[in-house]
Amino acid sequence: MASCETEGSLDETVHDLEKPEAPANLDSNTSDLPFYVCEFVEKEIGNDFKSLCKVSSLIEKIAEEKKHLEEQVLTVSSEAPKRIQVALSNAESTQSALATLLEREATVSESIGKHLEEATPWMDDLGVLTDQINEVERHLNYLKWISHIEELSDNIQQHLMTNNVAEAASTLVSMTEQAIKLQDSSCFHLLKFITSTVQFWHKILKDKLTSDFEEVLTQLQWPFIGPHQLQTPISSSSSSTAGGASVKEVYASLETLFIQLLKLQISDELISKPKQMPEKYSLPASPPIILPIQIMLLPLQKRFRYHFTGNRQTNVLSKPEWYLTQVLMWIGNHTKFLNEKVQPILKKAGSTVNAKMEFTRGLVMLVLEKLSVDIPCLLYDDVLFCHLVDEVLLFQRELHTTHGYLGSLPNCMHILSEDTFFQRWLTVERKLALEKMDSMLSSEAAWSSQYKDISDVDEMKFPDCAETFMTLLLVITDRYKNLPTAEKKLKFLELQKDLVDDFRIRLTQVMKEESRALLGFKYCAILNAVNYIAAVLGDWADNIFFLQLQQAALEVCTDTNSSSKLQLGQLASMEISVFDDMINLLERLKNDMLSRQVEHVFREVKEGAKMYKKERWLSLPSQSEQAVMSLSSSACPMLLTLRDRLLQLEQQLCHTLFKSAWQMLAEKLDLFIYQDVILANHFNEGGAAQLQFDMSRNLFPLFSHYCKRPENYFKHVKEACIILNLSVGSALLLKDVLQSAAQYMDKPFTKDKVPSATAALNELGVYKLAPQDVEILFNLRTNWPNTGK
């Protein structure tokens, strides 16, 4: 019975203990209880019946665990109802509180509704009163503004009556500031009133100050039409001017009036709209010229319009240099006065304006107006239009270099950048450049160099036509580099690239005409020209101006998606330049022409080597049988031809081209002598010695003028001579090494033996020839001993 109970308790607990260890492929809800019992018994007892003694302790352990689990279940079962009861109680109390709140909310809502009904008439009456108060306040503020303006106006009047112009100007500044505050106001009539008041007093003050200022300028003999006129009132020994006032008093009045006029600047900008150029010229935004400078410019503007507009004899379309020179002269004549007298006044007034820059800007605006009128009349006359552009560019350069005029200010390049004018400029520039190219290529001195007698300068040996062409491109760059937008500059860059390509095509055509005389003076001059242009374009690619254009081109390509991602990446990383396409085409032409020249020389040398190839190398006497070694007579035509052609190329090609030419020729000769002379013949001891003498004492020295170790350019020939001139013993040992190495090649476990053949050759100075080549050369030797080898 006890055992049954034990088995029963064991069966009850085994399932709980072993359930977590059930195999993953079994469902716990459908698992077989006997299976787990068997598993548990098998695990704890196994097949050893002696382990049955553990059963009693196992049952006690499982019984304790069962009891512990039952206590936990009872505890949870007893605590759950208590928690539920508490939760229900809390819910009931919350529901009661919510009901109370709802009742209070209904009561309050009802009382609020009644109050609103009672207060609505009061609110309506209060709203009417509030609107009336706001209206009165607006009227009051309106009247305050009018009163304030009238007060300022009265103050200005009183100051003028007491001749206190400075205070009147300061008061006008205050009134103008008030007017500026009202610019966004909807009080149209108030705004109109204050603006008209400002305008009224501004005109009075401006007229009075302008009159006094002009009188002072007259005493200073302004404007200074002649270059030395300025010196009269300043350096004169007399202490008074023509009007009787002292020079110091005049300059004091100038300073006072200048500062007072400067105060009127803000009101002048408010009420007057300066004349603007049409938007198509895309002039940069710039503030109006300060009032005192405007007054100083008036007499010059009158003179300019008198002489250079209408039917005056000085207004000639074909002579733009007249008015451009006049403006530059005026700027130069007034520079000293502006810097020494006017600029200190501006500094004292706390202004950052540059007097000379303002004065120059005012005169430049006159020029821009004149250009905008004249250019349309010249668009279809290439000569006059080109002349105008040339004069404008010279004027622009003088402004920037001599007078420091800023490129960010309106200038002549903005007028030339107008679409119609710019397209015409581009067309004329292309036309004139092509005409210049025709002229330079048809010149008698086109292919000669003016520096040919100056070795330091004539290193590139470029002909005059190449130098003239690059000068043309450089001039075009100088002409367009001050254009205001990158877009316009890129148009000119495309023109330059087109001209380079056109010039390359013309050179190619002339080259083809000269292809019958590949070593002639003209052919070499063309080659030098191509090399020179490619080199200069390569240098320009690193110029800061063209690097900026490259960045601009990158932005344009990115916006239009006109280039591949590879090209965009190369442009961005500076791997390529804006001239790379042209440089590559020129390099291709250069390499093609150079290859033709080298091939032509090589054919001549081969022709001279016919007898040398047929030399009787088998029957030549040994070195010991000759008193003195001498050059093979059959080698003389070949070496003489080579010497003459190298000298001719050296004299006619620039250093870099000649270096490439002789290196290419050396490479071809090396293979030719190795294949057509050495491998095509057999050599006795005397023949091998003679070959080495011809090469090392005669061929190689021809190239020693151009490098220190010419034999390094004839590696096949040099190493073949080493092999053919080895002593018999050394040759036999080397032959054994090569044969042994060849036998070991097919045995994997001895492959480490193979390098010994290469090492043996390296010890002899043989690096170019492979072991197989050396074997072939050994077979060409006839001075082997009769050993059966």
Side-chain angles (χ1 to χ4, degrees):
M1 188 71 176
S3 76
C4 292
E5 290 177 358
T6 301
E7 291 176 3
S9 60
L10 182 63
D11 291 340
E12 290 171 1
T13 58
V14 163
H15 180 267
D16 293 331
L17 292 172
E18 291 297 319
K19 185 175 180 180
E21 297 181 7
N25 59 348
L26 292 179
D27 188 352
S28 61
N29 296 325
T30 60
S31 60
D32 190 3
L33 183 59
F35 172 77
Y36 291 106
V37 173
C38 292
E39 285 282 331
F40 179 74
V41 172
E42 181 68 25
K43 179 179 179 183
E44 297 294 333
I45 299 175
N47 297 327
D48 188 2
F49 292 100
K50 294 180 180 181
S51 300
L52 290 173
C53 60
K54 298 179 182 179
V55 172
S56 58
S57 60
L58 186 60
I59 291 173
E60 290 176 2
K61 178 181 177 183
I62 295 173
E64 288 178 3
E65 292 180 357
K66 177 184 177 186
K67 183 178 179 182
H68 179 65
L69 292 172
E70 287 175 347
E71 288 174 355
Q72 288 182 342
V73 171
L74 289 173
T75 301
V76 172
S77 299
S78 61
E79 288 179 356
K82 292 179 182 179
R83 293 180 180 177
I84 294 171
Q85 188 63 33
V86 172
L88 289 173
S89 177
N90 291 337
E92 289 173 357
S93 62
T94 302
Q95 185 177 12
S96 176
L98 180 60
T100 304
L101 287 173
L102 289 173
E103 291 175 2
R104 289 179 62 189
E105 185 271 338
T107 303
V108 172
S109 178
E110 184 178 354
S111 63
I112 291 173
K114 290 180 180 180
H115 178 74
L116 289 175
E117 289 179 3
E118 294 173 357
T120 298
W122 299 351
M123 291 294 295
D124 293 341
D125 295 341
L126 185 61
V128 172
L129 292 174
T130 304
D131 291 341
Q132 291 175 352
I133 291 171
N134 290 335
E135 185 71 18
V136 171
E137 286 183 347
R138 285 197 296 272
H139 290 168
L140 182 60
N141 287 332
Y142 197 92
L143 291 173
K144 284 181 178 179
W145 270 100
I146 293 175
S147 175
H148 182 57
I149 295 167
E150 288 180 340
E151 180 182 354
L152 292 174
S153 180
D154 291 341
N155 290 340
I156 293 173
Q157 185 176 9
Q158 291 175 7
H159 292 318
L160 287 177
M161 290 175 65
T162 59
N163 203 28
N164 192 348
V165 180
E167 286 300 322
S170 298
T171 307
L172 180 61
V173 171
S174 300
M175 185 186 292
T176 307
E177 290 173 350
Q178 300 300 322
I180 291 173
K181 291 180 180 178
L182 289 175
Q183 288 302 304
D184 297 329
S185 172
S186 58
C187 301
F188 172 76
H189 296 291
L190 177 62
L191 180 60
K192 183 178 180 181
F193 170 69
I194 191 173
T195 303
S196 61
T197 305
V198 169
Q199 187 173 5
F200 174 78
W201 290 117
H202 175 81
K203 184 177 185 306
I204 291 174
L205 283 171
K206 182 180 177 181
D207 289 347
K208 177 175 177 53
L209 291 173
T210 299
S211 175
D212 294 344
F213 192 61
E214 287 177 342
E215 183 178 345
V216 171
L217 291 175
T218 301
Q219 292 177 358
L220 292 172
Q221 301 182 19
W222 181 275
F224 310 133
I225 305 303
H228 302 292
Q229 183 181 345
L230 178 61
Q231 304 300 324
T232 304
I234 292 179
S235 60
S236 174
S237 58
S238 174
S239 61
S240 62
T241 62
S246 68
V247 174
K248 290 184 178 179
E249 290 175 354
V250 172
Y251 281 124
S253 299
L254 175 72
E255 179 179 329
T256 302
L257 293 170
F258 195 99
I259 293 175
Q260 290 172 357
L261 282 168
L262 205 57
K263 290 181 179 179
L264 299 185
Q265 182 67 30
I266 184 172
S267 56
D268 192 68
E269 292 177 10
L270 177 67
I271 63 177
S272 62
K273 294 182 179 179
K275 185 178 179 181
Q276 298 287 341
M277 297 284 289
E279 291 184 1
K280 65 180 182 177
Y281 297 118
S282 303
L283 296 182
S286 56
I289 296 171
I290 58 175
L291 190 55
I293 298 293
Q294 288 183 32
I295 298 170
M296 296 172 76
L297 284 168
L298 284 175
L300 295 175
Q301 291 172 342
K302 290 179 181 178
R303 285 176 177 273
F304 186 91
R305 293 191 173 100
Y306 176 83
H307 288 291
F308 304 116
T309 57
N311 297 323
R312 301 289 175 186
Q313 292 182 350
T314 48
N315 182 31
V316 183
L317 286 176
S318 61
K319 298 292 183 180
E321 61 269 27
W322 286 357
Y323 64 83
L324 295 174
T325 304
Q326 184 64 73
V327 167
L328 290 174
M329 188 181 299
W330 284 342
I331 295 172
N333 292 345
H334 296 86
T335 294
K336 184 176 181 180
F337 179 81
L338 291 168
N339 290 337
E340 294 180 358
K341 301 301 178 182
V342 178
Q343 191 62 46
I345 300 174
L346 286 168
K347 186 176 181 181
K348 183 177 181 179
S351 174
T352 58
V353 173
N354 184 296
K356 180 184 176 183
M357 200 65 64
E358 283 289 279
F359 182 80
T360 305
R361 180 157 68 99
L363 292 177
V364 168
M365 292 306 297
L366 284 175
V367 173
L368 300 191
E369 293 174 11
K370 174 69 173 169
L371 287 175
S372 65
V373 173
D374 285 1
I375 291 180
C377 303
L378 304 175
L379 276 181
Y380 302 103
D381 189 321
D382 289 352
V383 176
L384 292 182
F385 180 79
C386 186
H387 176 63
L388 173 68
V389 171
D390 290 341
E391 292 298 329
V392 166
L393 293 175
L394 289 173
F395 172 77
Q396 189 72 19
R397 182 183 304 168
E398 185 73 12
L399 274 182
H400 285 290
T401 56
T402 304
H403 302 293
Y405 191 71
L406 300 178
S408 58
L409 296 174
N411 58 65
C412 301
M413 302 307 287
H414 290 96
I415 304 298
L416 292 178
S417 295
E418 192 272 331
D419 290 343
T420 305
F421 301 166
F422 180 78
Q423 194 57 46
R424 185 60 183 162
W425 180 16
L426 207 60
T427 302
V428 171
E429 202 77 38
R430 183 189 300 274
K431 178 183 176 182
L432 294 178
L434 293 175
E435 291 176 357
K436 183 70 174 176
M437 287 163 58
D438 290 337
S439 174
M440 69 178 73
L441 288 174
S442 59
S443 169
E444 293 182 0
W447 305 108
S448 61
S449 173
Q450 58 180 320
Y451 310 111
K452 59 185 177 181
D453 298 326
I454 310 174
S455 58
D456 294 340
V457 180
D458 199 36
E459 183 179 349
M460 296 289 287
K461 295 184 179 178
F462 47 84
D464 278 358
C465 65
E467 183 185 19
T468 307
F469 176 70
M470 295 313 294
T471 303
L472 172 66
L473 292 184
L474 187 61
V475 169
I476 292 175
T477 303
D478 288 338
R479 288 162 72 85
Y480 79 81
K481 69 178 179 182
N482 290 321
L483 284 169
T485 63
E487 177 190 1
K488 305 296 185 185
K489 293 177 184 177
L490 289 173
K491 296 280 189 183
F492 262 99
L493 178 63
E494 288 301 316
L495 168 62
Q496 286 179 304
K497 292 166 70 174
D498 290 345
L499 292 176
V500 171
D501 196 45
D502 188 273
F503 195 72
R504 177 189 62 84
I505 293 172
R506 292 172 187 240
L507 290 179
T508 304
Q509 292 171 345
V510 179
M511 178 270 290
K512 290 179 179 178
E513 294 174 1
E514 298 296 322
S515 57
R516 292 184 179 180
L518 294 176
L519 301 181
F521 166 75
K522 198 169 183 179
Y523 189 93
C524 292
I526 297 169
L527 184 51
N528 287 329
V530 173
N531 179 67
Y532 171 70
I533 295 171
V536 174
L537 291 180
D539 292 340
W540 285 3
D542 296 327
N543 183 283
I544 184 65
F545 173 72
F546 290 109
L547 290 175
Q548 291 171 346
L549 283 188
Q550 181 171 341
Q551 181 62 31
L554 173 63
E555 293 172 2
V556 171
C557 292
T558 304
D559 293 340
T560 59
N561 293 323
S562 59
S563 298
S564 66
K565 290 183 178 180
L566 176 61
Q567 288 176 316
L568 291 176
Q570 289 174 330
L571 278 172
S573 63
M574 301 296 178
E575 291 181 13
I576 62 175
S577 69
V578 290
F579 294 112
D580 261 22
D581 293 342
M582 296 299 102
I583 293 174
N584 291 337
L585 290 172
L586 290 167
E587 288 290 336
R588 189 182 305 171
L589 176 60
K590 179 185 79 174
N591 294 333
D592 176 61
M593 293 180 68
L594 198 59
S595 298
R596 292 188 183 190
Q597 275 193 329
V598 171
E599 186 62 33
H600 176 75
V601 173
F602 179 61
R603 284 199 301 268
E604 288 190 355
V605 173
K606 280 177 63 177
E607 185 68 25
K610 284 184 177 180
M611 298 304 298
Y612 192 65
K613 289 164 58 177
K614 299 176 181 179
E615 185 69 55
R616 298 177 59 84
W617 304 102
L618 276 172
S619 58
L620 292 178
S622 65
Q623 188 173 358
S624 59
E625 298 174 1
Q626 299 182 58
V628 179
M629 292 285 290
S630 60
L631 173 66
S632 300
S633 58
S634 58
C636 290
M638 173 184 74
L639 296 178
L640 285 173
T641 302
L642 180 60
R643 183 200 64 182
D644 294 342
R645 294 297 175 251
L646 285 174
L647 182 60
Q648 187 177 0
L649 290 175
E650 184 181 17
Q651 291 174 343
Q652 296 185 350
L653 295 180
C654 70
H655 176 71
T656 54
L657 286 176
F658 177 66
K659 182 178 179 181
S660 299
W662 73 253
Q663 288 179 354
M664 293 167 61
L665 184 59
E667 182 180 356
K668 286 180 172 291
L669 282 175
D670 181 40
L671 289 175
F672 166 70
I673 295 174
Y674 177 70
Q675 293 174 353
D676 289 29
V677 177
I678 297 176
L679 295 183
N681 291 283
H682 287 75
F683 298 83
N684 64 358
E685 182 182 353
Q690 184 64 48
L691 176 68
Q692 186 172 29
F693 181 83
D694 293 343
M695 298 296 105
S696 61
R697 296 294 185 88
N698 295 279
L699 175 63
F700 299 165
L702 287 178
F703 293 87
S704 62
H705 300 288
Y706 320 124
C707 63
K708 292 182 178 180
R709 299 182 64 84
E711 64 273 10
N712 288 339
Y713 293 91
F714 295 88
K715 291 183 178 179
H716 289 91
V717 173
K718 181 186 74 171
E719 294 178 4
C721 288
I722 292 173
I723 298 300
L724 292 175
N725 284 279
L726 280 177
S727 63
V728 175
S730 299
L732 288 172
L733 287 174
L734 179 59
K735 194 171 185 179
D736 288 340
V737 171
L738 296 179
Q739 289 176 350
S740 299
Q743 293 174 2
Y744 287 133
M745 281 290 290
D746 299 329
K747 299 179 182 180
F749 58 88
T750 58
K751 280 192 176 180
D752 57 337
K753 301 285 185 180
V754 175
S756 63
T758 304
L761 291 174
N762 291 347
E763 286 180 7
L764 296 172
V766 177
Y767 299 93
K768 183 76 173 177
L769 299 179
Q772 296 83 353
D773 298 326
V774 174
E775 289 280 1
I776 294 172
L777 290 171
F778 277 151
N779 292 331
L780 301 179
R781 291 177 56 132
T782 60
N783 57 333
W784 293 110
N786 295 323
T787 59
K789 292 278 186 184

